[in-house]
Short mmCIF file of all heavy atoms in Angstrom, two decimals:
data_model
loop_
_atom_site.label_atom_id
_atom_site.label_comp_id
_atom_site.label_asym_id
_atom_site.label_seq_id
_atom_site.Cartn_x
_atom_site.Cartn_y
_atom_site.Cartn_z
N ARG A 18 -6.64 -8.05 9.12
CA ARG A 18 -6.23 -9.43 9.40
C ARG A 18 -4.92 -9.74 8.54
O ARG A 18 -4.88 -9.37 7.42
CB ARG A 18 -7.24 -10.48 9.18
CG ARG A 18 -8.54 -10.22 10.01
CD ARG A 18 -9.61 -11.36 9.77
NE ARG A 18 -9.02 -12.59 10.27
CZ ARG A 18 -9.14 -13.07 11.54
NH1 ARG A 18 -9.65 -12.26 12.37
NH2 ARG A 18 -8.71 -14.17 11.83
N LYS A 19 -4.04 -10.61 9.22
CA LYS A 19 -2.81 -10.89 8.50
C LYS A 19 -3.11 -11.91 7.28
O LYS A 19 -2.16 -12.09 6.45
CB LYS A 19 -1.76 -11.60 9.41
CG LYS A 19 -2.26 -12.87 10.05
CD LYS A 19 -1.18 -13.42 10.99
CE LYS A 19 -1.53 -14.67 11.68
NZ LYS A 19 -0.61 -14.96 12.83
N GLU A 20 -4.22 -12.53 7.17
CA GLU A 20 -4.56 -13.34 6.10
C GLU A 20 -4.55 -12.50 4.78
O GLU A 20 -4.33 -13.15 3.74
CB GLU A 20 -5.84 -14.00 6.26
CG GLU A 20 -5.90 -15.15 7.22
CD GLU A 20 -4.99 -16.31 6.76
OE1 GLU A 20 -5.06 -16.66 5.54
OE2 GLU A 20 -4.18 -16.72 7.65
N THR A 21 -4.65 -11.17 4.91
CA THR A 21 -4.53 -10.27 3.73
C THR A 21 -3.21 -10.44 2.99
O THR A 21 -3.07 -10.40 1.85
CB THR A 21 -4.66 -8.93 4.16
OG1 THR A 21 -5.92 -8.65 4.85
CG2 THR A 21 -4.69 -7.96 2.95
N PHE A 22 -2.17 -10.98 3.82
CA PHE A 22 -0.80 -11.01 3.22
C PHE A 22 -0.42 -12.45 2.80
O PHE A 22 0.64 -12.57 2.24
CB PHE A 22 0.17 -10.49 4.28
CG PHE A 22 0.03 -9.15 4.71
CD1 PHE A 22 0.19 -8.84 6.07
CD2 PHE A 22 -0.34 -8.09 3.82
CE1 PHE A 22 0.03 -7.45 6.46
CE2 PHE A 22 -0.38 -6.82 4.29
CZ PHE A 22 -0.18 -6.48 5.58
N ARG A 23 -1.26 -13.37 3.01
CA ARG A 23 -0.86 -14.73 2.83
C ARG A 23 -0.49 -14.99 1.37
O ARG A 23 -1.24 -14.68 0.39
CB ARG A 23 -1.96 -15.75 3.17
CG ARG A 23 -1.57 -17.18 3.00
CD ARG A 23 -2.53 -18.21 3.70
NE ARG A 23 -2.64 -17.99 5.10
CZ ARG A 23 -1.70 -18.48 6.00
NH1 ARG A 23 -0.75 -19.19 5.51
NH2 ARG A 23 -1.84 -18.29 7.22
N GLY A 24 0.76 -15.52 1.24
CA GLY A 24 1.32 -15.88 -0.13
C GLY A 24 1.63 -14.71 -1.00
O GLY A 24 2.01 -14.86 -2.19
N LYS A 25 1.58 -13.47 -0.53
CA LYS A 25 1.84 -12.27 -1.33
C LYS A 25 3.23 -11.77 -1.11
O LYS A 25 3.93 -12.03 -0.16
CB LYS A 25 0.83 -11.17 -0.91
CG LYS A 25 -0.61 -11.55 -1.00
CD LYS A 25 -1.08 -11.73 -2.38
CE LYS A 25 -2.57 -12.03 -2.44
NZ LYS A 25 -3.46 -10.99 -1.97
N ARG A 26 3.61 -10.99 -2.15
CA ARG A 26 4.95 -10.18 -2.04
C ARG A 26 4.52 -8.84 -1.59
O ARG A 26 3.88 -8.00 -2.30
CB ARG A 26 5.48 -10.13 -3.50
CG ARG A 26 6.03 -11.46 -4.03
CD ARG A 26 6.35 -11.46 -5.47
NE ARG A 26 5.16 -11.08 -6.29
CZ ARG A 26 5.22 -10.98 -7.64
NH1 ARG A 26 6.30 -11.19 -8.31
NH2 ARG A 26 4.06 -10.62 -8.28
N VAL A 27 4.85 -8.50 -0.33
CA VAL A 27 4.35 -7.37 0.37
C VAL A 27 5.40 -6.24 0.50
O VAL A 27 6.54 -6.57 0.90
CB VAL A 27 3.81 -7.73 1.77
CG1 VAL A 27 3.28 -6.56 2.50
CG2 VAL A 27 2.76 -8.82 1.66
N VAL A 28 4.96 -5.03 0.16
CA VAL A 28 5.90 -3.84 0.46
C VAL A 28 5.13 -2.99 1.41
O VAL A 28 3.86 -2.60 1.22
CB VAL A 28 6.23 -3.03 -0.81
CG1 VAL A 28 6.97 -1.86 -0.45
CG2 VAL A 28 7.05 -3.99 -1.74
N ILE A 29 5.66 -2.58 2.50
CA ILE A 29 5.12 -1.70 3.54
C ILE A 29 5.89 -0.37 3.63
O ILE A 29 7.16 -0.40 3.73
CB ILE A 29 5.07 -2.39 4.87
CG1 ILE A 29 4.23 -3.65 4.86
CG2 ILE A 29 4.60 -1.41 6.02
CD1 ILE A 29 4.18 -4.52 6.12
N VAL A 30 5.15 0.68 3.42
CA VAL A 30 5.80 2.00 3.43
C VAL A 30 5.50 2.67 4.80
O VAL A 30 4.40 2.79 5.13
CB VAL A 30 5.20 2.82 2.32
CG1 VAL A 30 5.86 4.25 2.35
CG2 VAL A 30 5.45 2.19 0.93
N GLY A 31 6.54 3.00 5.53
CA GLY A 31 6.41 3.66 6.77
C GLY A 31 7.06 2.82 7.91
O GLY A 31 7.33 1.66 7.80
N THR A 32 7.39 3.60 8.99
CA THR A 32 8.19 2.91 10.08
C THR A 32 7.62 3.21 11.45
O THR A 32 8.41 3.22 12.46
CB THR A 32 9.65 3.32 9.99
OG1 THR A 32 9.74 4.73 10.06
CG2 THR A 32 10.32 2.78 8.84
N GLY A 33 6.33 3.55 11.55
CA GLY A 33 5.71 3.82 12.89
C GLY A 33 5.31 2.47 13.52
O GLY A 33 5.63 1.38 12.97
N GLU A 34 4.77 2.56 14.67
CA GLU A 34 4.39 1.32 15.39
C GLU A 34 3.39 0.50 14.62
O GLU A 34 3.45 -0.82 14.65
CB GLU A 34 3.82 1.62 16.75
CG GLU A 34 4.95 2.12 17.70
CD GLU A 34 4.48 2.86 18.87
OE1 GLU A 34 3.42 3.46 18.90
OE2 GLU A 34 5.31 2.86 19.90
N THR A 35 2.45 1.11 13.90
CA THR A 35 1.52 0.31 13.04
C THR A 35 2.18 -0.42 11.97
O THR A 35 1.98 -1.67 11.66
CB THR A 35 0.47 1.21 12.45
OG1 THR A 35 -0.32 1.76 13.47
CG2 THR A 35 -0.45 0.42 11.53
N ALA A 36 3.17 0.19 11.28
CA ALA A 36 4.00 -0.41 10.20
C ALA A 36 4.72 -1.67 10.82
O ALA A 36 4.78 -2.70 10.20
CB ALA A 36 4.98 0.51 9.62
N MET A 37 5.35 -1.49 12.02
CA MET A 37 6.11 -2.55 12.57
C MET A 37 5.12 -3.78 12.92
O MET A 37 5.48 -4.86 12.81
CB MET A 37 6.76 -2.08 13.86
CG MET A 37 7.94 -1.10 13.64
SD MET A 37 9.22 -1.85 12.60
CE MET A 37 8.87 -0.96 11.10
N ASP A 38 3.96 -3.47 13.46
CA ASP A 38 2.99 -4.53 13.69
C ASP A 38 2.63 -5.27 12.42
O ASP A 38 2.52 -6.51 12.29
CB ASP A 38 1.67 -3.95 14.31
CG ASP A 38 1.88 -3.56 15.80
OD1 ASP A 38 2.88 -3.87 16.34
OD2 ASP A 38 1.00 -2.90 16.28
N LEU A 39 2.45 -4.51 11.28
CA LEU A 39 2.05 -5.19 10.07
C LEU A 39 3.21 -5.96 9.49
O LEU A 39 2.96 -7.00 8.86
CB LEU A 39 1.62 -4.00 9.02
CG LEU A 39 0.13 -3.76 8.98
CD1 LEU A 39 -0.36 -3.27 10.34
CD2 LEU A 39 -0.18 -2.76 7.88
N VAL A 40 4.42 -5.47 9.62
CA VAL A 40 5.55 -6.30 9.33
C VAL A 40 5.64 -7.66 9.96
O VAL A 40 5.86 -8.69 9.40
CB VAL A 40 6.89 -5.51 9.53
CG1 VAL A 40 8.15 -6.49 9.36
CG2 VAL A 40 7.09 -4.38 8.53
N PHE A 41 5.33 -7.58 11.31
CA PHE A 41 5.37 -8.78 12.09
C PHE A 41 4.23 -9.80 11.64
O PHE A 41 4.46 -10.97 11.55
CB PHE A 41 5.04 -8.49 13.57
CG PHE A 41 5.10 -9.60 14.50
CD1 PHE A 41 6.23 -10.49 14.53
CD2 PHE A 41 4.04 -9.96 15.26
CE1 PHE A 41 6.21 -11.67 15.38
CE2 PHE A 41 3.97 -11.06 16.12
CZ PHE A 41 5.08 -11.92 16.17
N HIS A 42 3.09 -9.23 11.26
CA HIS A 42 2.10 -10.06 10.66
C HIS A 42 2.41 -10.65 9.33
O HIS A 42 2.29 -11.87 9.09
CB HIS A 42 0.76 -9.32 10.57
CG HIS A 42 0.07 -9.02 11.83
ND1 HIS A 42 -1.14 -8.32 11.97
CD2 HIS A 42 0.39 -9.31 13.12
CE1 HIS A 42 -1.41 -8.17 13.25
NE2 HIS A 42 -0.59 -8.79 13.92
N ALA A 43 3.04 -9.81 8.48
CA ALA A 43 3.29 -10.21 7.10
C ALA A 43 4.44 -11.24 7.00
O ALA A 43 4.25 -12.29 6.20
CB ALA A 43 3.80 -8.95 6.29
N VAL A 44 5.49 -11.18 7.85
CA VAL A 44 6.54 -12.18 7.76
C VAL A 44 6.11 -13.53 8.04
O VAL A 44 6.72 -14.58 7.73
CB VAL A 44 7.72 -11.71 8.63
CG1 VAL A 44 8.40 -10.45 8.21
CG2 VAL A 44 7.31 -11.61 10.08
N GLN A 45 4.89 -13.66 8.81
CA GLN A 45 4.49 -14.98 9.18
C GLN A 45 3.78 -15.76 8.10
O GLN A 45 3.69 -17.00 7.99
CB GLN A 45 3.53 -14.84 10.37
CG GLN A 45 4.18 -14.25 11.64
CD GLN A 45 3.13 -14.10 12.74
OE1 GLN A 45 2.35 -14.95 13.08
NE2 GLN A 45 3.14 -12.86 13.32
N VAL A 46 3.22 -14.98 7.10
CA VAL A 46 2.35 -15.56 6.06
C VAL A 46 2.73 -15.22 4.64
O VAL A 46 2.29 -15.86 3.67
CB VAL A 46 0.89 -15.30 6.35
CG1 VAL A 46 0.46 -15.81 7.64
CG2 VAL A 46 0.57 -13.83 6.25
N ALA A 47 3.46 -14.14 4.43
CA ALA A 47 3.74 -13.61 3.12
C ALA A 47 4.86 -14.39 2.43
O ALA A 47 5.64 -15.16 3.05
CB ALA A 47 4.16 -12.18 3.16
N GLU A 48 5.00 -14.25 1.11
CA GLU A 48 6.10 -14.89 0.40
C GLU A 48 7.32 -14.05 0.54
O GLU A 48 8.44 -14.55 0.85
CB GLU A 48 5.74 -14.89 -1.21
CG GLU A 48 6.86 -15.46 -1.96
CD GLU A 48 6.52 -15.53 -3.40
OE1 GLU A 48 5.28 -15.69 -3.78
OE2 GLU A 48 7.38 -15.41 -4.34
N THR A 49 7.29 -12.73 0.39
CA THR A 49 8.41 -11.81 0.64
C THR A 49 7.82 -10.59 1.37
O THR A 49 6.61 -10.21 1.17
CB THR A 49 9.12 -11.40 -0.64
OG1 THR A 49 8.22 -10.65 -1.47
CG2 THR A 49 9.64 -12.62 -1.33
N VAL A 50 8.70 -9.85 2.17
CA VAL A 50 8.30 -8.62 2.87
C VAL A 50 9.44 -7.63 2.65
O VAL A 50 10.60 -7.92 2.93
CB VAL A 50 8.00 -8.88 4.33
CG1 VAL A 50 7.57 -7.65 5.05
CG2 VAL A 50 6.93 -10.00 4.49
N THR A 51 9.02 -6.45 2.30
CA THR A 51 9.97 -5.36 2.17
C THR A 51 9.41 -4.15 2.92
O THR A 51 8.29 -3.80 2.79
CB THR A 51 10.17 -4.94 0.70
OG1 THR A 51 10.68 -6.14 0.02
CG2 THR A 51 11.22 -3.84 0.63
#
């Protein structure tokens, strides 16, 4: 769940479709996303 990222500084390693889905979730609730 994207709540895992709420308010966090998130770094995601990888560029597959799962990584892209996680980026989309993270940008909605995280403090920063890389």
Side-chain angles (χ1 to χ4, degrees):
R18 302 182 63 81
K19 65 184 177 185
E20 283 301 311
T21 302
F22 300 138
R23 182 167 296 279
K25 303 293 182 61
R26 297 167 296 179
V27 180
V28 174
I29 297 174
V30 180
T32 55
E34 286 163 337
T35 296
M37 292 298 105
D38 285 349
L39 268 59
V40 168
F41 181 58
H42 287 180
V44 295
Q45 299 175 49
V46 297
E48 179 182 330
T49 64
V50 182
T51 302

